[in-house]
């Protein structure tokens, strides 16, 4: 029974499956359109944001970690001192997402009835910072200090053998908060996964207030009024950032191969590596010729694909489906939204192309380290 | 005489010349004194004297912004104490870390520093989640959201540079993995696209001994120079820049109309 459960979890955590589940579930949990909202209501996904949902989900997470703690393989990963933050992360991210969504639902209902959001108070009815805020800060500070001291006494900071440049541990992992980037390295070259995507992350986050023209939902928790924005943020944050961190910490073992959480990290696990670039697909597999010597000719299809995705697609969208959006947002905002949005969604796209079609790169010019 | 005896110690203290010279307003009892206590203190005057009711509710703010700042202060203090014992050289770094737990009385300072650092990354993320979910980045607070995103990036970079200092296997290989990405920086990394275009004749301007990774780790691989460089970046450079950004962040909260709230 327990073994079946562990095998099921191992199977479900395979990146292809777990990532797909999350990709399908996120738009239902944070429905950006009426259609998704209907599914949410129909299957009761909104129950996750109720108090019962909180208790049930917390219990499920705890049960999972208890089973993991008692399993000899998962125990090794789980009890590494530097992996403890991930456990805290899983709890706190769920709890605070729950808190925000729970409050948002309450406010959505109030707003529908024509009431003010629950945060609203008479602007003349203010409280004094001394003592009303100062004592809250003081208590928060003391509680957090107690937490840190207790944790420091109980859990020693990790210290492995002295640094040895001659012996590379397998796997070598970046600090936990960068494991999402390390995971992207599987699908993208380092210049994209390590440089371009992080820069787009930071600049994209900074650009949010300038791209979001929705004036509603300022200063209180709400969902309905901002559902598209919240969905995009949650997809990027939970699926493309936090989930990849969990994946990189718990499910990646020697040679960065996938291992289920309850699976033994066998360094000799053999995983077929046979990804093929788009140019090879076209010239070798489709036309049955060798690769042309001229790099531009060899990779012309890749350039067309990438160029088409980044530059032609926004144009086509602007003329067709997103016509109204272009008008509402103006040209600059629209272009920015398209660039950040398309780059962000290129990550899951690339992941699926790797999984489904074994595609290594669209453009593969290793001569100039230029692989996309 | 009898009146004087019945006075509480606090009240006597509050009326003394020493107390008044330090706190200025005496023990804050009346509404006026309490507002004065906030306005008259260089630390507390980060806050306004009065706030809308929702601003002091944990359910609204989660206290995450305040905790981020608290953790920064906490990390500065524990970090300074750690600097007494730690020498950033390949010869001593690792043994100094061992001494921190084995020789120093009540040696949990490194633990406090490390767990506070991990917590800070998480707390800053949660602060961002709160600000996003309450739509608090909307005008006129766009700029401050941007400052916050940069502060978050710096927090992670600060944590990353600190990761190297214990000089154990965990440290150098995590930093090797991380800094290897700089190798692939377009144009300025020696294995990045376009780097080979920056050449005069046959001479490459960007090679393993001159690219951005070399500048970051001070060598061709993670070694003695990297340790010193990361130590300086971790202890001086980034905290210094962060303090400037924090000053702007806090000041702009007030200038942009204080804490966000429903109109």
């Amino acid at each position: 029974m327990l073994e079946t459960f562990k095998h099921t979890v191992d199977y479900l955590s395979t990146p292809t499956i777990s990532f797909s589940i999350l990709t399908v579930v996120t738009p239902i949990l944070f429905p950006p359109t009426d259609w998704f909202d209907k599914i949410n209501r129909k299957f009761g996904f909104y129950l996750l944001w109720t108090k019962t949902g909180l208790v049930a989900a917390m219990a499920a997470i705890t049960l999972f970690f208890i089973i993991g703690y008692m399993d000899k393989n998962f125990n090794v990963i789980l009890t590494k001192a530097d992996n403890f933050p991930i456990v805290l992360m899983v709890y706190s991210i769920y709890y605070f997402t729950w808190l925000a969504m729970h409050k948002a639902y309450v406010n959505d209902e109030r707003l529908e009835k024509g009431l003010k959001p629950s945060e609203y108070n008479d602007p003349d009815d203010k409280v004094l910072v001394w003592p009303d805020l100062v004592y809250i800060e003081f208590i928060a500070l003391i509680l957090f200090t107690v937490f840190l001291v207790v944790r420091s006494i109980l859990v020693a900071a990790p210290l492995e053998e002295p640094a040895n440049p001659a012996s590379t541990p397998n796997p070598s992992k970046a600090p936990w908060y960068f494991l999402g980037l390390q995971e992207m390295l599987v699908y993208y070259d380092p210049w994209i996964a390590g440089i371009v995507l992080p820069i787009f992350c930071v600049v994209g986050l900074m650009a949010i207030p300038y791209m979001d023209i929705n004036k509603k939902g300022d200063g209180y928790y709400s969902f309905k009024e901002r559902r598209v924005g919240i969905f995009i943020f949650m997809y990027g944050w939970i699926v493309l950032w936090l989930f990849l961190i969990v994946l990189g910490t718990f499910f990646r073992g020697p040679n960065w191969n996938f291992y289920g959480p309850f699976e033994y990290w066998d360094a000799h696990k053999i995983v077929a590596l046979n990804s093929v670039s788009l140019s090879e697909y076209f010239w070798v597999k489709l036309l049955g010729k060798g690769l042309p010597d001229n790099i531009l000719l060899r990779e012309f299809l890749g350039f067309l694909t990438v160029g088409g995705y980044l530059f032609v697609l926004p144009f086509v969208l602007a003329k067709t489906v997103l016509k109204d959006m272009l008008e509402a947002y103006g040209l600059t905002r629209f272009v920015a939204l398209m660039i950040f949005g398309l780059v962000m969604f290129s990550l899951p796209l690339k992941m699926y192309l790797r999984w489904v079609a074994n595609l290594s790169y669209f453009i593969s010019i290793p001569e100039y380290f230029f692989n996309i | 005489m009898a009146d004087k005896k019945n006075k509480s110690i606090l009240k006597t203290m509050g009326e003394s010349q020493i107390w008044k010279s330090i706190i200025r307003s005496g023990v804050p009892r009346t509404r006026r004194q309490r507002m004065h206590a906030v306005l008259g203190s260089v630390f507390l005057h980060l806050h306004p004297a009065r706030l809308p009711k929702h601003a002091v509710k944990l359910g609204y703010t989660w206290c995450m912004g305040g905790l981020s700042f608290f953790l920064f202060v906490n990390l500065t203090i524990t970090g300074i104490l750690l600097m007494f014992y730690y020498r950033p050289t390949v010869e001593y770094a690792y043994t100094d870390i061992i001494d921190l737990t084995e020789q120093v009385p009540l040696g949990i300072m490194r633990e406090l520093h490390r767990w506070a650092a991990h917590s800070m990354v998480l707390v800053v993320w949660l602060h961002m989640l709160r600000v996003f979910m309450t739509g608090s980045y909307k005008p006129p607070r766009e700029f401050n959201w941007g400052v916050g995103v940069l502060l978050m990036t710096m927090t992670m970079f600060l944590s990353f540079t600190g990761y190297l200092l214990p000089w154990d296997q965990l440290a150098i290989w995590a930093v090797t993995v991380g800094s290897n990405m700089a190798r692939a920086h377009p144009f300025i990394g020696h294995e990045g696209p376009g780097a080979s275009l920056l050449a005069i004749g046959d001479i490459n301007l960007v090679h393993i001994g001159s690219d951005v990774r070399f500048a970051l780790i001070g060598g061709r691989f993670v070694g003695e120079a990297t340790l010193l460089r990361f130590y300086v970046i971790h202890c001086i450079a980034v905290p210094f820049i962060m303090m400037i950004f924090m000053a702007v962040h806090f000041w702009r909260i007030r200038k942009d109309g204080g804490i966000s709230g429903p109109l």
Side-chain angles (χ1 to χ4, degrees):
Chain A
M1 168 65 187
L2 196 61
E3 284 308 305
T4 326
F5 171 76
K6 285 179 183 176
H7 285 303
T8 317
V9 171
D10 280 348
Y11 176 71
L12 290 178
S13 354
T14 323
T16 35
I17 296 169
S18 49
F19 190 84
S20 304
I21 294 175
L22 273 178
T23 299
V24 173
V25 165
T26 315
I28 302 176
L29 270 181
F30 307 99
T33 63
D34 287 335
W35 188 80
F36 284 111
D37 194 52
K38 238 185 232 162
I39 297 182
N40 179 320
R41 300 277 150 199
K42 199 171 162 193
F43 293 100
F45 276 87
Y46 63 92
L47 292 173
L48 192 61
W49 311 128
T50 59
K51 279 184 181 151
T52 330
L54 175 73
V55 176
M58 284 293 189
I61 296 173
T62 311
L63 188 68
F64 178 73
F65 281 132
I66 290 175
I67 293 175
Y69 188 78
M70 300 203 300
D71 179 85
K72 66 178 189 309
N73 293 321
F74 200 9
N75 183 283
V76 178
I77 314 166
L78 210 53
T79 48
K80 270 194 187 147
D82 259 16
N83 286 349
F84 188 59
I86 320 269
V87 176
L88 282 186
M89 183 184 92
V90 171
Y91 275 107
S92 56
I93 298 291
Y94 172 66
Y95 174 71
F96 285 106
T97 311
W98 175 87
L99 188 60
M101 287 305 285
H102 185 71
K103 286 175 165 287
Y105 272 38
V106 172
N107 275 345
D108 284 352
E109 259 174 45
R110 289 178 65 98
L111 290 167
E112 230 161 62
K113 284 183 205 150
L115 296 167
K116 294 255 188 195
S118 59
E119 285 88 353
Y120 182 82
N121 286 299
D122 182 11
D124 294 325
D125 185 20
K126 288 193 169 176
V127 290
L128 291 176
V129 163
W130 183 294
D132 292 274
L133 180 60
V134 177
Y135 92 87
I136 290 177
E137 288 176 333
F138 188 61
I139 291 170
L141 189 151
I142 287 179
L143 288 181
F144 212 93
T145 310
V146 169
F147 162 72
L148 283 177
V149 171
V150 169
R151 189 173 157 195
S152 300
I153 292 171
L154 293 180
V155 189
L159 191 68
E160 296 186 355
E161 308 94 86
N164 180 1
S167 129
T168 315
N170 188 7
S172 308
K173 291 191 178 183
W176 61 272
Y177 36 84
F178 284 148
L179 281 180
L181 299 178
Q182 205 178 345
E183 178 63 23
M184 288 178 205
L185 279 172
V186 177
Y187 310 98
Y188 272 119
D189 243 26
W191 76 278
I192 297 189
I195 311 287
V196 176
L197 288 181
I199 290 176
F200 267 80
C201 261
V202 172
V203 179
L205 277 173
M206 287 171 79
I208 287 177
Y210 303 96
M211 297 189 298
D212 181 4
I213 56 168
N214 181 0
K215 287 202 169 55
K216 288 179 183 163
D218 181 356
Y220 54 92
Y221 293 98
S222 66
F223 180 76
K224 254 183 199 161
E225 292 178 323
R226 304 169 53 212
R227 55 186 187 176
V228 178
I230 290 182
F231 161 67
I232 296 175
F233 182 84
M234 284 299 174
Y235 187 79
W237 202 52
I238 293 184
V239 184
L240 298 183
W241 183 252
L242 298 174
F243 172 68
L244 292 188
I245 290 176
V246 172
L247 182 64
T249 314
F250 291 150
F251 307 156
R252 288 293 183 187
N255 307 320
W256 208 254
N257 285 329
F258 166 78
Y259 293 83
F262 301 110
E263 199 177 326
Y264 172 68
W265 280 15
D266 176 10
H268 303 290
K269 181 176 180 174
I270 290 167
V271 178
L273 269 181
N274 53 350
S275 51
V276 179
S277 72
L278 190 61
S279 48
E280 277 174 74
Y281 260 119
F282 181 72
W283 293 106
V284 182
K285 295 211 166 170
L286 190 68
L287 299 184
K289 297 188 205 169
L291 290 173
D293 288 336
N294 186 320
I295 292 176
L296 291 179
L297 179 66
R298 187 183 81 200
E299 303 297 336
F300 86 98
L301 200 60
F303 279 111
L304 280 183
T305 320
V306 175
Y309 178 73
L310 281 180
F311 303 111
V312 183
L313 187 63
F315 192 74
V316 175
L317 288 175
K319 286 280 173 196
T320 54
V321 218
L322 300 179
K323 213 171 172 181
D324 300 338
M325 192 177 148
L326 173 63
E327 233 162 73
Y329 280 74
L331 187 63
T332 322
R333 270 198 200 94
F334 184 80
V335 170
L337 263 170
M338 282 296 126
I339 290 175
F340 287 120
L342 287 174
V343 170
M344 180 171 139
F345 282 106
S346 76
L347 179 64
L349 260 170
K350 187 79 196 285
M351 292 167 87
Y352 275 108
L353 283 170
R354 175 68 59 85
W355 294 331
V356 176
N358 257 326
L359 182 83
S360 59
Y361 300 113
F362 291 107
I363 303 174
S364 166
I365 313 180
E367 295 91 331
Y368 291 95
F369 303 110
F370 190 78
N371 301 316
I372 295 178
Chain B
M1 282 299 274
D3 273 357
K4 236 182 185 177
K5 261 187 187 167
N6 285 339
K7 267 188 188 170
S8 69
I9 302 175
L10 199 64
K11 204 168 182 196
T12 324
M13 244 168 58
E15 280 168 8
S16 74
Q17 191 186 355
I18 298 176
W19 179 284
K20 274 188 175 165
S21 72
I22 299 171
I23 310 290
R24 299 189 74 229
S25 54
V27 178
R29 287 175 190 282
T30 65
R31 192 178 167 80
R32 198 186 136 79
Q33 276 175 325
R34 283 173 169 180
M35 285 171 70
H36 210 259
V38 172
L39 295 174
S41 157
V42 69
F43 302 108
L44 290 179
H45 96 287
L46 278 175
H47 293 305
R50 297 181 312 142
L51 277 172
K53 268 187 180 159
H54 73 275
V56 299
K57 292 216 171 102
L58 265 183
Y60 184 69
T61 65
W62 307 350
C63 217
M64 286 300 168
L67 281 179
S68 309
F69 180 54
F70 161 67
L71 283 166
F72 181 83
V73 175
N74 187 317
L75 284 160
T76 310
I77 296 169
T78 51
I80 289 171
L81 291 173
L82 286 172
M83 285 169 83
F84 290 155
Y85 296 94
Y86 175 80
R87 288 164 288 179
T89 62
V90 169
E91 197 183 348
Y92 295 121
Y94 185 77
T95 45
D96 284 349
I97 294 289
I98 289 181
D99 281 357
L100 273 171
T101 35
E102 298 196 346
Q103 305 298 330
V104 180
L106 305 172
I108 58 161
M109 206 48 77
R110 189 167 90 86
E111 275 76 13
L112 276 177
H113 195 74
R114 196 178 187 97
W115 302 141
H118 285 324
S119 307
M120 185 168 165
V121 173
L122 203 50
V123 164
V124 168
W125 288 358
L126 291 172
H127 178 52
M128 182 179 78
L129 177 66
R130 193 288 285 180
V131 172
F132 182 85
M133 288 304 285
T134 53
S136 305
Y137 58 83
K138 299 192 176 198
R141 298 185 179 84
E142 313 100 301
F143 179 75
N144 218 12
W145 164 271
V147 174
V149 171
L150 289 176
L151 278 168
M152 177 184 76
T153 315
M154 280 184 252
T155 305
M156 288 197 273
F157 185 63
L158 207 50
S159 192
F160 176 67
T161 47
Y163 216 78
L164 180 68
L165 304 184
W167 203 248
D168 61 343
Q169 282 288 70
L170 196 63
I172 63 157
W173 290 104
V175 169
T176 304
V177 169
S179 57
N180 268 348
M181 303 219 188
R183 229 187 249 271
H185 197 296
F187 295 108
I188 51 175
H190 76 279
E191 283 180 5
S196 54
L197 300 174
L198 297 176
I200 303 171
D202 281 347
I203 304 161
N204 275 330
L205 295 180
V206 179
H207 52 77
I208 191 169
S210 73
D211 68 345
V212 64
R213 177 170 169 272
F214 190 92
L216 178 69
I217 67 176
R220 286 156 202 255
F221 49 85
V222 176
E224 177 93 47
T226 319
L227 186 53
L228 181 61
R229 215 161 268 216
F230 272 43
Y231 179 72
V232 175
I233 293 175
H234 182 75
C235 301
I236 310 280
V238 182
F240 171 70
I241 300 168
M242 240 173 128
M243 277 195 277
I244 297 172
F245 272 78
M246 278 194 298
V248 176
H249 199 58
F250 299 158
W251 187 73
R252 279 301 291 256
I253 297 173
R254 296 288 300 278
K255 287 290 150 187
D256 294 338
I259 188 158
S260 65
L263 294 172

